[in-house]
Amino acid sequence: MASSNRCLYEVLGLTVNSLPEEIRSAYKKLALQCHPDKLLRSGLTPDQATAQFQELNFAYSVLSDPKQRAWYDSHRTRILFSDLDSFISSVLSLFFHFSHPAFPAFSGYSDYGNGFYKVYSDLFDKIHNNEINFVKKVGLGLEKVPDAPRMGNLQSPVKAVSEFYNYWRGFSTVMDFRWVKGKTALEREELKGEYNERVRKMAEFVRKRDKRVLDLLGMVNEHRKKIERERKQLEELEMEKKRKEYVCEVCGEKFQREKREQWRKRVQDVAEFGQSFVEEEEVREVQCWRCIKTTSAWDSFV
């Protein structure tokens, strides 16, 4: 059914910069498509068909007249947003989603009824639809509003979940709040920034309660703990290994604690062996018991 407050350019499928010949061409094409007889055959009721055809004729009558079009262009914003109390309320109501028990109540994590993914999917859809409705009302192209990823459900892949929250955590509205009366351009820009921040915080608020995210974070944290445990075990093994190692005083080779007594005995034997030749000023070579290298017994113990 025709809207009572649609942008006249939208009715004709045009933009505010359309040329007069484009307006005429669009009207002729739509007049054939929207004739009440054809609309009745498409399933509309007589009242709906008549209202849609009248809306088309009214749009053309205004936009085809240069003076009426100029007046409409200068008053279009006020006309389009004159009945947007509910729209503004939907923007301001985002405040209530940040505190319990005012935020939408959900039961479980289903995507139907009062489930988490149904309740919050509807909320983000509403925000996105507000963006679409705005560009339609002011005659901007729909390409101004990027497609919003769906929230999905518990079976959604990790990539889809990441794309959804990345979109909303970086949200930037196309609305310029021109319908808010008594505000300067700077104040409207501040309202726009405030609105963006509300939506982004809302996305973060929901993300922290999303079971998919919580489960994933739990897996990541568990993996990190496992890595940390393994790191500590390796450090402890390395320290234990170092505690068990000694250095041969003859050749500098490392050996384990269990060889310590053998080492002590061998050092004593080598020392006695070397000492027996001191008086004769002879230098003899001895073998390290561990590495089977030869060295000067006297030089090793001087």
Side-chain angles (χ1 to χ4, degrees):
M1 189 172 184
S3 169
S4 61
N5 203 29
R6 291 175 69 195
C7 173
L8 300 186
Y9 290 99
E10 180 190 351
V11 174
L12 293 174
L14 301 171
T15 66
V16 294
N17 298 318
S18 297
L19 299 174
E21 52 267 28
E22 291 176 322
I23 294 175
R24 285 193 297 271
S25 177
Y27 171 72
K28 289 179 180 180
K29 182 179 179 180
L30 291 173
L32 293 175
Q33 297 176 357
C34 297
H35 191 278
D37 291 341
K38 288 188 176 181
L39 293 177
L40 286 173
R41 287 195 294 269
S42 69
L44 295 183
T45 66
D47 288 343
Q48 290 175 330
T50 300
Q52 189 165 327
F53 192 66
Q54 288 177 344
E55 182 184 46
L56 176 63
N57 284 325
F58 176 74
Y60 179 69
S61 67
V62 172
L63 298 182
S64 61
D65 185 298
K67 291 184 178 180
Q68 290 192 52
R69 181 181 180 183
W71 183 90
Y72 176 76
D73 287 346
S74 64
H75 294 79
R76 186 165 60 95
T77 300
R78 184 175 300 177
I79 294 171
L80 292 178
F81 296 102
S82 61
D83 61 349
L84 280 182
D85 288 341
S86 60
F87 180 84
I88 296 174
S89 296
S90 71
V91 175
L92 298 178
S93 67
L94 286 175
F95 276 128
F96 297 112
H97 295 289
F98 289 92
S99 59
H100 184 78
F103 70 87
F106 66 91
S107 177
Y109 286 92
S110 68
D111 56 355
Y112 55 86
N114 290 323
F116 180 90
Y117 299 108
K118 177 68 168 90
V119 169
Y120 284 107
S121 178
D122 288 349
L123 173 62
F124 286 110
D125 285 349
K126 182 178 181 181
I127 297 172
H128 190 250
N129 288 335
N130 281 342
E131 299 289 305
I132 294 175
N133 291 336
F134 176 81
V135 297
K136 285 182 177 180
K137 284 181 178 293
V138 298
L140 299 174
L142 288 178
E143 68 275 4
K144 296 291 185 180
V145 183
D147 292 336
R150 303 294 299 174
M151 188 175 196
N153 51 37
L154 284 174
Q155 284 70 50
S156 298
V158 173
K159 182 180 179 182
V161 177
S162 177
E163 289 176 348
F164 175 80
Y165 285 112
N166 285 343
Y167 176 91
W168 288 107
R169 291 166 76 192
F171 173 81
S172 181
T173 183
V174 298
M175 298 186 297
D176 55 15
F177 291 80
R178 64 182 68 184
W179 67 88
V180 181
K181 298 179 180 180
K183 298 290 185 180
T184 64
L186 179 59
E187 289 172 331
R188 291 193 184 97
E189 193 64 26
E190 291 175 349
L191 282 174
K192 181 176 180 178
E194 182 182 354
Y195 179 74
N196 285 334
E197 188 64 19
R198 293 182 198 175
V199 175
R200 293 168 188 168
K201 286 184 177 180
M202 184 66 200
E204 187 62 29
F205 177 88
V206 175
R207 178 177 176 271
K208 290 180 178 180
R209 289 156 179 77
D210 191 327
K211 190 176 187 300
R212 301 168 303 184
V213 176
L214 295 176
D215 289 348
L216 182 61
L217 289 176
M219 293 171 60
V220 171
N221 289 335
E222 185 57 36
H223 182 64
R224 287 176 178 171
K225 290 179 181 179
K226 180 180 178 181
I227 293 176
E228 182 64 17
R229 287 196 299 268
E230 292 176 350
R231 185 187 66 79
K232 289 183 178 180
Q233 289 174 357
L234 289 174
E235 287 181 352
E236 291 174 358
L237 289 174
E238 187 66 25
M239 291 179 64
E240 183 64 21
K241 181 180 178 181
K242 290 181 179 179
R243 284 196 297 267
K244 290 182 178 180
E245 287 180 344
Y246 289 85
V247 179
C248 175
E249 295 185 13
V250 175
C251 65
E253 287 287 330
K254 295 180 180 180
F255 58 96
Q256 302 297 315
R257 181 186 295 272
E258 57 267 17
K259 302 292 186 179
R260 184 175 185 182
E261 294 304 321
Q262 291 177 288
W263 170 77
R264 283 179 174 175
K265 187 176 185 304
R266 185 59 181 165
V267 168
Q268 182 179 358
D269 291 344
V270 172
E272 292 175 355
F273 181 76
Q275 185 63 33
S276 67
F277 290 93
V278 171
E279 295 177 358
E280 299 177 6
E281 296 183 351
E282 294 183 4
V283 178
R284 299 178 181 276
E285 292 183 333
V286 296
Q287 289 185 327
C288 169
W289 69 272
R290 178 174 178 80
C291 60
I292 317 300
K293 291 181 180 178
T294 60
T295 187
S296 167
W298 173 248
D299 290 342
S300 300
F301 294 93
V302 172

